[in-house]
Amino acid sequence: MDSPKPHLWRNTILFAGLIYALSSVYGVLYVQTISIAVCSEALAFTAGILIGSSFVLSSLTYFFNFMDTKLKYRKQLGLLGYYVALAYSITLFLRNVDHYGTHASTSLGTREALLGLSAMAILSMMAIISGNWAIKLLGNRWRMLLRTGYIAYILLIIRAFIIEGGSWRQWAFSFMSLPPPRLILSIFALIVIYARIGLEIALRLKKKLPTQPK
């Protein structure tokens, strides 16, 4: 059974609350109005930051020793990010009941819906096997299954580009407003993925180095 670590959860929830507050304020400044959509999209932004932070901690602790004390937050960041992503999915459905309810047979077959559902399926699998029981049951396959989270992250980047790629290009050519929130989150996600690639390269190079005699 996993041992309870209330201080880790408390600090992670406070961090999530800070990210949500900042992203909500940014969303209001971006669209210049307060709406349910802004609050909903702030959930998506918060979930992306939490999940990405969970992923990137392995890379950061490898390259920067001062980050070692933060590695213990990886599980809490990932799980809370998943719960926030679920909350966003619910608000997205409530905002578009006709789209995802009455016309579900067609709307759920769109590219953005399939990408989102696939990403959530992967994240759900990761949440289910996050406990210590899964490590004992799955052995070495456990870590490999958790790394499929990067696939989910890539799917969400592609989904964001499909939904807002036009506005991203418009902003890039004009710079007449604040950067779109999804663009900022996608850039963060790419940094997380590149950090993982850098870690893999560093580990492979380290294996190739001749061992020094003691």
Side-chain angles (χ1 to χ4, degrees):
M1 182 180 294
D2 297 346
S3 58
K5 299 177 181 178
H7 69 287
L8 297 182
W9 280 108
R10 181 180 64 249
N11 294 339
T12 305
I13 291 171
L14 289 174
F15 176 66
L18 176 62
I19 297 299
Y20 182 77
L22 292 175
S23 59
S24 296
V25 172
Y26 188 91
V28 170
L29 294 174
Y30 177 71
V31 300
Q32 298 183 349
T33 186
I34 300 175
S35 66
I36 295 176
V38 169
C39 298
S40 173
E41 293 302 320
L43 287 173
F45 190 95
T46 303
I49 295 295
L50 292 174
I51 294 170
S53 299
S54 175
F55 289 165
V56 82
L57 277 177
S58 295
S59 303
L60 292 179
T61 54
Y62 181 84
F63 293 110
F64 306 104
N65 292 334
F66 70 90
M67 292 296 298
D68 289 352
T69 57
K70 307 302 180 185
L71 189 62
K72 59 188 176 183
Y73 287 97
R74 184 167 53 181
K75 177 179 178 178
Q76 283 73 20
L77 286 167
L79 281 176
L80 186 56
Y82 171 71
Y83 298 146
V84 175
L86 277 181
Y88 165 70
S89 300
I90 294 172
T91 62
L92 184 63
F93 175 80
L94 294 176
R95 287 163 50 198
N96 303 275
V97 174
D98 290 338
H99 185 66
Y100 291 111
T102 307
H103 303 95
S105 58
T106 55
S107 59
L108 293 180
T110 61
R111 290 180 299 171
E112 58 267 29
L114 291 174
L115 288 168
L117 290 171
S118 299
M120 284 305 299
I122 294 173
L123 295 176
S124 297
M125 178 271 295
M126 293 175 63
I128 292 172
I129 66 170
S130 63
N132 290 335
W133 64 269
I135 302 176
K136 299 176 182 178
L137 179 65
L138 299 171
N140 294 332
R141 291 175 295 177
W142 177 78
R143 195 174 300 276
M144 181 180 66
L145 288 172
L146 288 183
R147 287 176 181 169
T148 59
Y150 289 95
I151 299 175
Y153 224 35
I154 292 172
L155 294 178
L156 292 175
I157 295 173
I158 297 172
R159 178 179 182 272
F161 181 78
I162 290 173
I163 295 173
E164 293 190 355
S167 63
W168 294 0
R169 288 189 291 268
Q170 184 179 6
W171 175 84
F173 285 110
S174 65
F175 292 103
M176 295 298 291
S177 66
L178 293 171
R182 285 181 190 266
L183 176 59
I184 297 175
L185 181 58
S186 296
I187 292 173
F188 172 78
L190 286 173
I191 292 173
V192 171
I193 292 169
Y194 287 141
R196 182 66 206 188
I197 294 173
L199 175 60
E200 290 296 329
I201 293 173
L203 292 174
R204 292 177 187 275
L205 290 176
K206 186 177 181 180
K207 288 182 180 180
K208 292 181 179 181
L209 292 176
T211 56
Q212 297 293 332
K214 296 182 179 180

